[in-house]
């Protein structure tokens, strides 16, 4: 039987135009309440530039990245890269077929570099190499090609799965992957909306990179659909901060940066 942890925090909706402020509000909401879990969390983000990049605050980003590095956790960029390989997209120079080929070639090396963390796959790998389905399992290629092939394509077609019961319904006590279960894309007259659902999410060590990676994925899909990214919605069943030490000296700079980030909104 699953052990239920006490003092969960009720639902939270964060509607923001700045990614750093959005993350800071989520983090501080947990920090300022008893308990360490928000159940559920809904983030809705707008304010993207013409290239689909979200607004961010440098001080908050740097403070979080410094803490993650000190704890030997993946950096924000590294977490984002698991969802969308932004650096590789730049190398591909706007050629999505080249992007997909480069990533497939590189994926065995990514697994070898972190066999424990990546042995079951990575998010972008599941999206373009699911193992079965149309376009040889490349769900993103199917979505883009169907959208571009003809007008009036049903909107329910534009969704991609990460979680796979055949591979992921296993009895392990802990499983790092996949927490992100599904992504959908909604073309609107104003632009593209990307939606993502997480069963659970680690706010301190993963969430910021998760949000950045989803935004970058949305910008990529918008580019290929010849539109712009206008909104990102992320729903999290359980958003949690594990081993939260509110008065730990190494946490104080991040807490200060988060509060400063929120204060800058006023």
């Amino acid at each position: 039987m699953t052990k239920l942890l006490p003092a969960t925090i009720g639902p939270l909706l964060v509607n923001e135009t700045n990614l750093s402020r959005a993350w800071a509000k989520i983090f501080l909401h947990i920090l300022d309440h008893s308990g360490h879990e928000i159940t559920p969390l809904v983030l809705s983000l707008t304010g993207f530039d013409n290239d689909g990049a979200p607004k961010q605050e440098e001080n908050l980003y740097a403070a979080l990245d410094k803490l993650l590095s000190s704890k030997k956790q993946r950096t924000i960029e590294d977490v984002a890269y698991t969802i969308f390989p932004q650096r590789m997209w730049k190398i591909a120079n706007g050629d999505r077929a080249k992007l997909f080929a480069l990533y497939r070639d590189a994926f065995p090396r990514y697994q070898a570099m972190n066999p424990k963390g990546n042995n079951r796959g990575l998010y972008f790998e599941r999206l373009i190499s699911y193992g079965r389905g149309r376009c040889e399992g490349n769900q993103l290629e199917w979505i883009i090609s169907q959208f571009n092939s003809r007008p009036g394509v049903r909107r329910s077609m534009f969704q991609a799965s990460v979680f796979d019961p055949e591979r992921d319904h296993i009895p392990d006590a802990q499983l790092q992957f996949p927490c992100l279960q599904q992504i959908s894309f909604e073309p609107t007259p104003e632009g593209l909306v990307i939606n993502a659902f997480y069963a659970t999410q680690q706010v301190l060590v993963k969430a910021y990179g998760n949000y950045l990676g989803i935004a970058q994925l949305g910008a990529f899909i918008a580019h290929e659909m010849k539109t712009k990214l206008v909104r990102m919605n992320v729903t999290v069943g359980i958003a949690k901060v594990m081993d939260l030490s509110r008065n730990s000296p190494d946490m104080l700079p991040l807490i200060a940066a988060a509060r400063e980030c929120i204060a800058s909104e006023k």
Side-chain angles (χ1 to χ4, degrees):
M1 180 178 295
T2 301
K3 181 180 179 182
L4 299 179
L5 298 173
T8 57
I9 305 167
L12 175 66
L13 168 63
V14 175
N15 186 16
E16 253 297 344
T17 59
N18 182 294
L19 173 56
S20 299
R21 280 204 306 266
W23 182 89
K25 287 181 177 180
I26 295 165
F27 172 65
L28 292 176
H29 189 79
I30 296 178
L31 192 76
D32 293 339
H33 289 77
S34 60
H36 67 279
E37 296 181 351
I38 299 171
T39 309
L41 165 68
V42 178
L43 165 64
S44 190
L45 186 71
T46 56
F48 302 96
D49 67 19
N50 290 333
D51 294 325
K55 295 177 183 177
Q56 301 183 74
E57 300 296 330
E58 183 177 344
N59 289 346
L60 187 280
Y61 188 107
L64 177 56
D65 236 15
K66 183 176 181 180
L67 180 67
L68 293 174
S69 296
S70 71
K71 293 182 176 294
K72 295 181 170 53
Q73 298 287 342
R74 285 175 168 170
T75 65
I76 294 170
E77 183 179 352
D78 285 345
V79 172
Y81 198 90
T82 66
I83 298 172
F84 184 75
Q86 184 73 12
R87 298 189 303 274
M88 197 170 282
W89 176 229
K90 291 181 179 179
I91 294 171
N93 197 28
D95 184 339
R96 74 172 184 267
K98 183 176 181 180
L99 168 67
F100 297 148
L102 287 170
Y103 190 88
R104 288 194 186 98
D105 288 343
F107 180 68
R109 296 197 298 275
Y110 296 154
Q111 282 193 306
M113 289 165 57
N114 186 0
K116 182 179 179 180
N118 298 341
N119 67 318
R120 306 191 65 256
L122 290 168
Y123 292 113
F124 192 71
E125 180 260 342
R126 284 274 179 106
L127 292 173
I128 69 169
S129 301
Y130 192 75
R132 57 193 184 277
R134 306 281 186 174
C135 296
E136 299 180 338
N138 189 334
Q139 301 176 84
L140 301 185
E141 178 60 33
W142 169 254
I143 289 168
I144 294 166
S145 62
Q146 289 299 301
F147 177 83
N148 291 335
S149 66
R150 63 193 189 279
V153 179
R154 59 179 170 84
R155 298 167 70 187
S156 61
M157 183 180 293
F158 307 133
Q159 54 183 311
S161 295
V162 175
F163 184 85
D164 180 2
E166 184 177 343
R167 288 177 280 183
D168 301 324
H169 273 161
I170 56 177
D172 295 37
Q174 292 185 336
L175 204 62
Q176 294 187 41
F177 174 92
C179 295
L180 172 61
Q181 294 193 345
Q182 187 177 25
I183 294 176
S184 70
F185 307 93
E186 294 294 338
T188 73
E190 293 75 27
L192 183 71
V193 178
I194 182 171
N195 305 294
F197 176 75
Y198 282 81
T200 63
Q201 186 175 72
Q202 296 185 50
V203 172
L204 184 62
V205 299
K206 294 289 181 65
Y208 197 116
N210 290 162
Y211 304 150
L212 181 59
I214 293 167
Q216 291 171 342
L217 175 62
F220 163 70
I221 297 294
H223 177 274
E224 295 304 289
M225 289 182 171
K226 299 177 176 58
T227 185
K228 61 181 180 179
L229 179 65
V230 294
R231 185 176 291 273
M232 176 183 81
N233 299 313
V234 182
T235 302
V236 184
I238 302 173
K240 56 189 177 181
V241 177
M242 303 303 295
D243 301 322
L244 178 59
S245 301
R246 290 171 169 81
N247 298 316
S248 174
D250 60 351
M251 288 283 288
L252 295 180
L254 175 60
I255 294 171
R259 296 201 185 282
E260 179 183 357
C261 185
I262 299 300
S264 69
E265 180 184 17
K266 300 176 181 178

